[in-house]
Amino acid sequence: MKTLQRSRPDRHRLSATLADRRARELLSHLSGGPATVRDLAVALAAAERGCARSAVTTADRRQYRRQFEHRHLPRLADAGLVTCTPGGLVRYVPTTLDRFEVQFPPLDEPDHPTWAAAAAVLGRSHRYPLVSIVDETESLSLSRLADRLVGTDATDATPSDLAIALHHADLPKLAAVDLLAYEPEGGTVRRTSETATVL
């Protein structure tokens, strides 16, 4: 097995990986320290089958090891979340998430409800300042939000271009994970009780 390690992960790739429950389950197993590929395959099989690790059969272990080596491990490595030695020892790379201001849930809680919100905010560089601005006020217009974001270092877009991106991509995505409320017809963005969970 070759050594898997990537340098600067793409925000979209990292966001998509953290949004995947299986990836979070694997990271949860690595939160206590390095693990072998075999151990992680057994942990994945046990989680998928809903059984104890001791109940995982040899056939299941082999099947899940192939899945892990060919699908999950490359994805985690591409996201910069793990490294793997040629001998098959997998390590979590905490500095990957430490680079971001986003408040992530505990790694050993893969089912924590805030994971979806944290992954959504991570997806684009201007989403964290966006959520911060929304958290500072009860509500504001889409145009006012775009103007305030342009005043930050998070984007180099014009206010009109940014307003279009916010309307079509960012605000619906963040509203879907309850970090804000967005009324497209009136162009109004409002804080919710969940807005500060990722700040």
Side-chain angles (χ1 to χ4, degrees):
M1 177 183 292
K2 65 180 181 177
T3 301
L4 288 172
Q5 183 174 6
R6 305 290 187 267
S7 53
R8 299 286 291 181
D10 174 273
R11 290 183 78 100
H12 297 289
R13 185 174 292 144
L14 183 55
S15 173
T17 301
L18 291 176
D20 179 11
R21 203 250 172 237
R22 285 182 185 143
R24 296 194 310 268
E25 179 72 33
L26 291 165
L27 291 174
S28 173
H29 291 290
L30 292 169
S31 65
T36 64
V37 168
R38 182 187 188 282
D39 289 341
L40 289 168
V42 169
L44 183 62
E48 295 272 318
R49 301 261 186 215
C51 65
R53 291 185 196 188
S54 59
V56 173
T57 66
T58 301
D60 283 344
R61 179 177 46 79
R62 287 181 181 147
Q63 174 190 346
Y64 282 92
R65 182 172 179 149
R66 280 191 300 275
Q67 278 186 27
F68 178 72
E69 288 181 332
H70 296 289
R71 185 183 315 156
H72 303 297
L73 181 57
R75 187 175 188 197
L76 288 164
D78 284 345
L81 291 166
V82 302
T83 60
C84 184
T85 67
L89 190 64
V90 183
R91 287 186 175 88
Y92 168 61
V93 181
T95 53
T96 299
L97 296 184
D98 292 346
R99 293 186 304 121
F100 301 100
E101 295 177 286
V102 179
Q103 179 67 41
F104 295 99
L107 204 59
D108 61 354
E109 295 182 35
D111 291 321
H112 196 285
T114 309
W115 274 113
V121 170
L122 188 63
R124 297 181 79 180
S125 61
H126 61 261
R127 285 185 181 166
Y128 185 87
L130 184 162
V131 173
S132 297
I133 291 168
V134 171
D135 188 52
E136 295 170 1
T137 183
E138 186 65 30
S139 70
L140 71 166
S141 69
L142 172 59
S143 60
R144 178 69 182 131
L145 177 59
D147 287 342
R148 289 194 56 193
L149 269 175
V150 167
T152 68
D153 293 333
T155 182
D156 57 1
T158 65
S160 60
D161 288 344
L162 185 56
I164 291 169
L166 293 176
H167 173 75
H168 290 288
D170 302 298
L171 296 176
K173 179 77 171 180
L174 297 173
V177 293
D178 298 322
L179 283 176
L180 51 80
Y182 178 49
E183 297 168 10
E185 297 79 17
T188 304
V189 184
R190 291 190 331 273
R191 182 177 64 215
T192 68
S193 60
E194 302 298 311
T195 302
T197 58
V198 296
L199 302 178

